[in-house]
Amino acid sequence: MSERVTVAKTYKLFIGGKFPRSESGRVYPVTDRKGQFLANAAHASRKDVREAVVAARKAFGGWSGATAYNRGQVLYRVAEVLEGRRDQFAAEVGAAEGLPSRRAETVVDAAIDRWVWYAGWTDKVASVLGAANPVAGPYFSFTVPEPTGVAGILAPQESSLLGLVSVLAPALAAGCTAVVVSSADRPLPAITLSEVLATSDLPDGVANILTGRAGELGPWLASHGDVNALDPTGADPEIRADLARAAAGTVKRVLAVPAAEPDWTQPPDIARLRRYLEAKTVWHPMGV
Amino acid sequence: MPAFEYAPAPESLELANLKPGYRPFIDGEFVDGGGEPLKTVNPATEEVLAEVSTASAADVDTAVKAARKAFEKTWGPMPGSERAKYLFRIARLIQERSRELAVLETLDNGKPIRESRDSDLPLVAAHFFYHAGWADKLGYAGFGPDPKPLGVAGQIIPWNFPLLMLAWKIAPALATGNTVVLKPAETTPLTALVFGEICQQAGLPPGVVNILPGAGDTGARLVEHPGVDKIAFTGSTEVGKLIQRQVAGTPKRLTLELGGKAANVVFDDAPLDQAVDGIVNGIFFNQGHVCCAGSRLLAQESVVDELLDKLRYRISTLRLGDPLDKNTDVGAINSAEQLGRIRELADSGEAEGAQRWTSPCPVPERGFFFAPTVFSGVHQSMRIAREEIFGPVLSVLTFRTPDEAVAKANNTPYGLSAGIWTEKGSRILWMANRLRAGVVWANTFNRFDPAAPFGGYQESGFGREGGRTGLEGYLDV
């Protein structure tokens, strides 16, 4: 009896809640750490970036306008679905990063826990970062943090899932919507995360994930007039200055990131959340 | 319209202690600068006030080195509780010399003495008082138990609030343990240089504060100087973009507070007389030289005629003229160049088909003046609705529904401020939630306080000044 032939999967992009092929029709081969062919991934183009930004912008009003409690629930739901697919992620992370299965499981667990941590922040940032301002006059003045808008994120190149979650979750928890370019050589966990996001309660377009090259797509995100913040973590350090210069054209918020990819297993702080928030100060006179 | 006659009530010019020459303040001393000297002009009379020695590239270098040394040797290691006392001293000295500073500010800038005396100077002192208290409490600011300063801060400020912008920049920088090199605007350096005297009187260690008068090239040298750890800039969006480009790829931190084109939204249930005063304050305060000025009036269609009638009447009672006169409401435009820009944009409004109304107030023959002007019938595509005019020019647009008001208010690349006028509390909160602006004034306008964070969204810049949030720009977090 012949061995069963596995069902090979065609991997696609994640834009506006759908899974389209790249507009360019391009794909590129993905291998494991030993060079074994795993699959072809879609090679996103400039047009795909633009489509994704349109989807993210369209989703921004609903996502940023949802109650913090609701956003927290939705993000926690993502963690639940992530947990349900723990084994698949462990296999893919193991293949992508060349980790033995126990190590890969640890990384996946950390990614799930990280998602839960950020999910819990949605209804706390305002009380931690906002303020009632004791102004010198008969006015009621308060400051609330608000999401900056559409985030363009170049995900870490090495840490295919934990790194990705560590850069995406804070943007979503802040109330931003995101266009993410995955790790170029290790994109499969990102696509599986897309499937998780699509089957959670996350509204379409809140997160858009493109598989492709940060060096090729980064400049289009950096110069795009409808992207409000740029996370250059996954960009080659040599092109980061160019990205920052391009971002200046629209006074984009560019996250300060370390030259080398950090150790994502370290406990996070709220620095990344803060970068995606604007402080809005509202004044009203007091009187009778 | 009743024509009130006022006797002249000029503030004494002598209070300013005007000197024939002013020099850069570097490492605790006033020194001759190597740059091309400039003459600063009284915009109300076009007379030269003083000659100012400016900083050369070498002076920028000397100042940055002095600031670095002070950061490492004195100011950085000093306990916050001691730094606080210097800031409290500075605040008190400013209060004690506030009449002198107000008159000098009015002479150099052209703003009415009523505003420099009642608005600018009290706020300048308040910023130092507020931040003085933070110096020994930074562990409670929410950035970890022991947040560290960045080092040497290069600061570039505009000419519209010369001393107030200095206070907004220097007070938080010093409170957080940084040292500063500040470049005041080319046309308004005088009060900043007198602030150098105040630093001396306060016994501030040399090098902690350095003031370098000069033009854009001096600012550019400061921005590119490798010894500077942070750049804080307030000014035009155009220059802000250049600076962001220049700083890109360096480890320098950056905060930008740039232009605006604020919408002041008036609903049909607003208390109209109160709204009229708010609109006047929103656009004619400081001759409209305010980045957060309410330069786009969005009036609900059902009240626009009544509102415009009241507004024109109120505006025609504004007194334009000698800034030193205590009865003057609208002073001089800061420079001939700025006056030219305002004229050009106002002319474009007429050319594009908006209806121009100018206050019939008498305009002095000498000096740079521009009578309060209102454009009605303005469309969103017109230059006067899109570009920052930075002068006493109001553009009036209309809307029918709250949704339309929000869409129009948000329809610019800027996002610094906005105003809402309505009696309905829930509508205020609904609007405040939807306006993409860093500051939203409801039933008031142009309120400032060191405890209330100020700053923009989008192309109005990033970073905040004031409040706990404002400390972040000067801390390594």
Side-chain angles (χ1 to χ4, degrees), chain A residues 72 75-76 79 110-124 165-166 169-170 173 266-273:
Chain A
L75 293 180
Y76 181 71
I112 297 168
D113 293 352
R114 177 97 7 122
W115 198 279
V116 172
W117 192 76
Y118 279 112
W121 264 114
T122 59
D123 53 3
K124 291 160 197 78
V165 165
S166 301
Q266 292 301 305
D269 59 27
I270 61 168
R272 275 185 173 271
L273 272 175

Side-chain angles (χ1 to χ4, degrees), chain B residues 9 18 72 84 100-101 147 164 178 209 221 236 251 267 307 321 380 456 461:
Chain B
L18 193 64
E72 282 166 8
E100 171 197 353
L101 289 165
L164 181 59
N178 299 272
V209 168
R221 285 191 193 112
S236 71
F267 285 94
L307 184 65
Q380 293 188 80

Side-chain angles (χ1 to χ4, degrees), chain A residues 44-55:
Chain A
S45 68
R46 176 190 178 185
K47 177 93 186 307
D48 297 320
V49 167
R50 280 159 44 191
E51 299 285 346
V53 173
V54 168

Side-chain angles (χ1 to χ4, degrees), chain A residues 128-129 133 135-136 139 143 146-148 241 244-245 248-253 274-275 278-285, chain B residues 241 244-245 248-249 428 432-433 435-443 447 449 451 453 456-458 461 464 468 472 477:
Chain A
V128 171
L129 299 180
N133 308 314
V135 296
Y139 296 91
T143 299
E146 290 191 343
T148 198
R245 269 189 289 275
T250 49
V251 197
K252 241 177 225 95
R253 284 77 174 125
R274 273 206 320 265
R275 302 287 176 268
E278 306 283 348
K280 177 189 274 180
T281 300
V282 181
W283 290 68
H284 196 280
Chain B
K241 288 179 182 178
Q244 193 180 354
R245 240 172 243 134
I428 287 172
N433 209 14
L435 292 169
R436 303 282 293 158
V439 188
V440 177
W441 287 293
N443 292 333
R447 298 287 158 197
D449 194 284
Y457 284 46
Q458 301 197 111
R464 292 294 179 268
R468 188 174 61 76
E472 185 181 345
V477 289

